[in-house]
Amino acid sequence: MVVTPTGAMMNVETECPLILLAITLLSGGALWFRYQEGKLLTPSGGLHLQIFLFFGIGGFCYILFPATDFKLTEDAIWHYTYVTSVPFLMGYAIAFAFEYLWGPRLGGKSTSGQNNEFNYLGSIFQPFEFFIVSLLGSIGFFLQYVLEGSIFGQLGTYLGLLFFPSILIGIADWRKMNLLTRIITVILLIQVLLVGFYSAWRSMLIILIVTILLGVSVSRKKKVILGVVGVGFIVLCYIIPFQILKRHNMDEFERDPINLIVKSLDIPFSERVDIIGEFFASRLNYTRELVYVEIAVERGFNLRAGETYLDIISQLVPRILWEDKPDVAYWAGYVLPRKIGLLDRSDHATSWAVNMFAEAAYNFGTWSVVWFVPIAFAFTGVLQRQLSRWYSASEAIALGNIACFYLILETTTVIFTASLIVALFLIIKVFEIWLHTDLRATTSRAH
């Protein structure tokens, strides 16, 4: 089904790219400021990076590679991208100004009284502490993907929140670490490389590349950041085409993975750039989800008026205590995307939960993002402040900030994020209690 906008088409050929450029520059500037201040690896840093990747770059790729969306005409894509991006930019500009002027008051205390990214990294972790964190993350990573759908799989989802933060810590503080912690870091890297290489999941190796780039960036001088970004782009030019080729030819890959690797290396570089653009346009593009919500509302989709946020309460109750708990995941990931036309009703396999800004739009309308975006950033500021209030140990504050950075970066619907945040706070609290107990025991033996 092909959709075109009704009524007279607006002249958006100039306005739309400017709106997307403004979103990209604002989010890129915010990331750079936080990087300079040593506050990149925080909850709000994760939200800025999400907007940079999924609304800035993703939005640009959407209008540059319209053929990736076979349901909409090119004119419709330009029109609705403009219609949804204008209120989003307004909301983000308000949030940006608020954070720049008053953000320091919301950020909470530093882990050691200095605004330095090293305070959030492995330099404050002892080898055994790093071992415990990475062990928990590895267990969660294993349970999450091997026992998916079971109670242990849910536990794995929670513990898995520590997995990529562990890798980042290990990479960022590589030069200061001892042999044990370096071995642990290498094991973590091998673990994710093997799973990412042999599985059909395309996002895993991409997250790993982002993690490596972040770890190298915050551990090096600022002047190398452009070089790191350049290397990262070249690596993506080889990883993404391979992952897509593998996903479309899994049987061939399982028979002869080396042959498929050789095929992916034969792809011309210009074609690789197009593949990356198409990948962002189809998979890393939150603007597209806003577009489909807007089209659905115009066609008569009834706004939920905040009803879905009530499901947060039910998600906080374990299913083992409430067997008949509503299956919100099924509704958000299966029913809704088909109602708004994001997925075909004939597609019975794909699950696609829309992002939290599109979630606000199907609750209150597209213009609600003008006030929802500032609220989202205010929440990340409060979340960072609570981390320094809940925990007294610098290790716990550091781990909480890095884990929340990843959690917010990968956040889709708010419904599920709430339970993940509660679980993460409890896991890190247990880690801090163990930390203090172990420290007291060590002190007693020393005396």
Side-chain angles (χ1 to χ4, degrees), residues 37-49:
E37 295 173 355
K39 298 178 181 178
L40 176 60
L41 301 177
T42 58
S44 55
L47 189 52
H48 282 299
L49 184 56

Side-chain angles (χ1 to χ4, degrees), residues 373-426:
V373 176
I375 287 178
F377 273 97
F379 172 77
T380 59
V382 171
L383 181 59
Q384 183 178 342
R385 189 173 185 84
Q386 291 305 313
L387 287 168
S388 58
R389 286 183 172 179
W390 260 60
Y391 311 116
S392 57
S394 58
E395 296 90 339
I397 298 174
L399 184 60
N401 272 280
I402 300 173
C404 284
F405 169 86
Y406 277 95
L407 176 57
I408 298 299
L409 171 62
E410 300 176 40
T411 287
T412 51
T413 169
V414 173
I415 300 171
F416 308 122
T417 303
S419 60
L420 292 174
I421 289 175
V422 171
L424 181 61
F425 267 65
L426 292 176

Side-chain angles (χ1 to χ4, degrees), residues 57-366:
I57 296 178
F60 264 119
C61 291
Y62 194 32
I63 62 175
L64 292 176
F65 299 91
T68 57
D69 193 336
F70 63 90
K71 292 186 176 183
L72 303 180
T73 65
E74 184 174 351
D75 286 344
I77 290 174
W78 279 77
H79 170 74
Y80 285 110
T81 297
Y82 175 81
V83 168
T84 56
S85 295
V86 168
F88 186 87
L89 174 60
M90 293 174 64
Y92 187 45
I94 293 171
F96 182 91
F98 178 83
E99 186 175 76
Y100 182 78
L101 294 174
W102 296 287
R105 302 177 187 177
L106 297 176
K109 65 184 180 182
S110 172
T111 56
S112 64
Q114 302 173 359
N115 289 330
N116 190 312
E117 201 74 70
F118 288 110
N119 296 326
Y120 288 100
L121 301 174
S123 55
I124 63 172
F125 285 85
Q126 297 300 317
F128 190 62
E129 297 166 2
F130 178 68
F131 169 75
I132 293 297
V133 172
S134 60
L135 178 63
L136 292 175
S138 294
I139 292 173
F141 184 82
F142 175 81
L143 294 177
Q144 180 179 357
Y145 293 107
V146 176
L147 302 177
E148 185 178 4
S150 67
I151 296 177
F152 292 106
Q154 190 65 32
L155 176 63
T157 299
Y158 297 146
L159 292 178
L161 296 171
L162 303 180
F163 183 72
F164 282 104
S166 299
I167 296 178
L168 190 148
I169 292 170
I171 294 172
D173 210 41
W174 178 269
R175 290 177 295 176
K176 298 180 181 179
M177 285 186 166
N178 61 15
L179 180 61
L180 173 62
T181 50
R182 289 182 178 181
I183 291 174
I184 293 172
T185 302
V186 171
I187 292 174
L188 294 175
L189 288 170
I190 293 174
Q191 183 177 354
V192 70
L193 282 171
L194 287 175
V195 175
F197 179 77
Y198 284 104
S199 73
W201 296 311
R202 291 174 289 181
S203 60
M204 190 174 301
L205 291 181
I206 296 173
I207 297 174
L208 176 63
I209 292 171
V210 172
T211 299
I212 294 173
L213 293 178
L214 286 170
V216 173
S217 297
V218 298
S219 65
R220 302 283 179 173
K221 295 181 179 179
K222 295 181 177 63
K223 63 182 180 181
V224 305
I225 185 66
L226 293 178
V228 170
V229 172
V231 171
F233 176 75
I234 293 174
V235 172
L236 285 176
C237 284
Y238 285 89
I239 291 295
I240 291 179
F242 166 70
Q243 290 290 82
I244 293 176
L245 186 64
K246 178 183 69 175
R247 184 175 179 86
H248 292 157
N249 301 273
M250 280 301 296
D251 291 338
E252 180 183 350
F253 173 77
E254 290 173 356
R255 291 194 305 269
D256 190 355
I258 301 300
N259 184 55
L260 201 68
I261 293 174
V262 173
K263 282 185 178 181
S264 70
L265 293 176
D266 289 337
I267 299 174
F269 191 80
S270 59
E271 187 177 337
R272 294 180 183 278
V273 175
D274 289 340
I275 291 174
I276 290 179
E278 292 170 359
F279 176 76
F280 269 80
S282 60
R283 301 298 301 177
L284 303 182
N285 179 10
Y286 284 177
T287 300
R288 179 171 177 262
E289 297 171 10
L290 268 176
V291 163
Y292 273 89
V293 170
E294 172 65 19
I295 293 173
V297 171
E298 287 186 4
R299 289 179 163 181
F301 178 87
N302 293 324
L303 297 177
R304 303 302 293 266
E307 177 187 346
T308 61
Y309 295 118
L310 298 177
D311 293 325
I312 293 175
I313 300 174
S314 67
Q315 292 305 296
L316 296 176
V317 180
R319 188 168 291 278
I320 193 172
L321 301 178
W322 185 2
E323 293 184 3
D324 298 328
K325 185 174 74 170
D327 192 350
V328 180
Y330 176 78
W331 181 87
Y334 188 89
V335 177
L336 175 71
R338 287 161 179 78
K339 272 192 173 183
I340 64 176
L342 191 62
L343 295 176
D344 288 328
R345 294 184 183 275
S346 59
D347 180 357
H348 301 294
T350 307
S351 180
W352 195 312
V354 301
N355 67 85
M356 61 179 165
F357 303 106
E359 180 184 28
Y362 72 66
N363 271 283
F364 306 108
T366 302

